[in-house]
Amino acid sequence: MLSLRNITLTQYKNYLQDSFEFNKPIIGICGNNGVGKTNLLDAIYYLSFTRSYFYKSDLQNVYDGKSGFRIEGNFQTEDGDQNVTCIVRENGKKEVLLNGEIYQRLSGHIGKFPCVIITPDDARIITEGSDERRRFMDALLCQLDSLYLQHLIEYNRLLQQRNQLLRSLAESISTDRSLLDVYDAQLQRPGTYIFVKRQHFFHEILPSIESIYQYIAGSDDGLRLFYQSDLLSTPYAELLYKSREKDLMLQRTHAGIHRDDIDIRLKTLQFKNIASQGQRKSLLFSMKLAEYEMLKTTKGFAPIILLDDVFEKLDARRMHQLLARVCEPGNGQLFITDTHEGRIREHLENLSADYSLISLKPKA
């Protein structure tokens, strides 16, 4: 079983210097708002993904008034104990080390210590634009397939360069489009790879999402999900060619896998337009738990799961259904935050869970 045995935080968010031991499969983290519960979960996430879940810039993770930070954690795995250290130095340089060896490419670390996080902000996967649903797909696929991450990095780099070229062509009187032909050809390789992997992923995860949704919601509401991609109907080369004049006019690329989406419906109607708050929450947790179960099946061991402030977002029945699912023996290590120690203790004891509690206090 993958588990995090301890973590040390230095100048990370509101932690100047703190260490925590984790000796149970389920760890409750309690305390008032603002004491650092979410920050501790984010530090665990950082050890898995080499970045914060909440902030794009590492500068936003530094303790106020300091420069740089360090997170160190010791994992227990089937291959023995593993030490992961993430350092952002005073000059902004980032280093990630596995057992003392520095990664030359941070992408080489992704997927070694798989992790699934569920937070209140994740509702945007359902309610906001297609980029949020692509991010959901990519976060899972990058942990499952290192080549997928490399192709995604390459695709985004080429897409950015193609868009820059479109802007340059619009600002000049040149009609030479030979370089555009080159970018179109180069985009097809990573784009097609990503499309095939997303399509396969979707067909695998769809039954799991629908099944878990019925379990959490306690009913079959007619939930249906569909993968949307321009490539389902048109080959990549033809897609880019047909879109070229529009691209030149609007100075950005309008066709490709960067526009993929997941169409979510209740029977025939758009889910986000008619779903209740309870249905939205049930779907969110269904998608995340399906992600968890796919990682577990593919990796052969359960990923770490991080639940942030979920007690405030679910009614008692849905909360019980969720916890019963993730607290089953052999399901891996779980971290869960709550503002009320008594509430989290009651839920976990009702499930006869093997747990410990960490009570965080305001910093002096």
Side-chain angles (χ1 to χ4, degrees), residues 162-170 247-248 251-253:
R162 187 180 191 270
N163 286 339
Q164 288 173 344
L165 176 60
L166 289 169
R167 290 191 290 270
S168 297
L169 289 172
D247 292 350
L248 286 164
Q251 302 173 40
R252 58 190 175 91
T253 308

Side-chain angles (χ1 to χ4, degrees), residues 54-82:
F54 300 97
Y55 299 115
K56 290 184 178 180
S57 171
D58 280 320
L59 295 177
Q60 295 175 282
N61 301 314
V62 179
Y63 188 95
D64 188 34
K66 299 294 183 178
S67 300
F69 63 81
R70 176 188 179 101
I71 307 170
E72 182 175 358
N74 290 293
F75 291 88
Q76 187 177 60
T77 73
E78 290 184 350
D79 297 326
D81 294 340
Q82 307 275 346

Side-chain angles (χ1 to χ4, degrees), residues 203-214:
H203 286 302
E204 282 203 343
I205 203 172
L206 175 61
S208 182
I209 293 174
E210 294 179 347
S211 173
I212 296 171
Y213 177 88
Q214 290 185 31

